[in-house]
Amino acid sequence: MRISAAQRAENENRIRAAMDRLLRGEIPPGGKCDIKTLAGEAAVDRTAFYGTRPYTHLRVEFERRLNAMREAGEIPDPREAQITRLKAENAKLRERLAASEQTIDELTDFHGQALARLTAQHEEIVRLRESVAGTSPVSRLPAPRTTVIGTCS
């Protein structure tokens, strides 16, 4: 079915208006910043944007503007922005997790070394006490009496 020049101009105006809305971030519920949503918003058949169809130049313009915005760091689709943000946050958390695991491993090794040193020191103290107890020329005094018999005055 052929359309008149006036209908074609009207369709192009609707497409450009929808294109501007999508690129401003006014995405309809359930839509994305893509050709399918653009066609739905402009009430134009999506196939008219491909091949040698009448609105191919508008698809090219839309994709060029969208890519320019992405390269500039602007993402009109809030879901894409959220996905990008979550991927960056995920990578950051993975780095923190790896650093935490490394710290835990280092502290576990240090704990094991400290316990081994304490055990060795304790064994040395016990050995020295045993060796001193049997061969020492110093005699030990008896333990003090704790019972009191009568008054001292």
Side-chain angles (χ1 to χ4, degrees), residues 7 15 19 33 35-36 39 42 46 70 74 86 89 122 137-138:
Q7 289 174 325
I15 292 169
M19 186 185 314
C33 194
I35 297 296
K36 180 179 178 182
R46 185 173 53 155
R70 286 181 178 154
E74 299 176 28
L86 290 174
E89 185 178 334
H122 177 71
V138 178

Side-chain angles (χ1 to χ4, degrees), residues 80-136:
E80 287 184 30
Q82 182 181 22
I83 289 169
T84 303
R85 181 183 55 80
L86 290 174
K87 283 182 179 179
E89 185 178 334
N90 190 10
K92 184 178 174 182
L93 289 173
R94 286 182 188 273
E95 289 173 6
R96 283 182 55 195
L97 179 63
S100 296
E101 287 175 348
Q102 182 180 358
T103 302
I104 289 171
D105 289 343
E106 291 170 0
L107 291 174
T108 302
D109 290 344
F110 178 76
H111 181 259
Q113 291 173 0
L115 284 177
R117 287 180 187 152
L118 286 173
T119 302
Q121 289 173 353
H122 177 71
E123 289 174 0
E124 182 67 14
I125 290 170
V126 169
R127 186 188 64 77
L128 290 173
R129 283 184 181 160
E130 288 174 355
S131 68
V132 169
T135 62
S136 174

Side-chain angles (χ1 to χ4, degrees), residues 14 16 28 41 48-51 58 79 87 91 128 134 138 140:
R14 279 199 325 264
R16 287 186 192 281
E41 285 291 297
F49 289 100
Y50 296 100
L58 292 174
R79 284 181 297 186
K87 283 182 179 179
L128 290 173
V138 178
R140 294 195 175 252

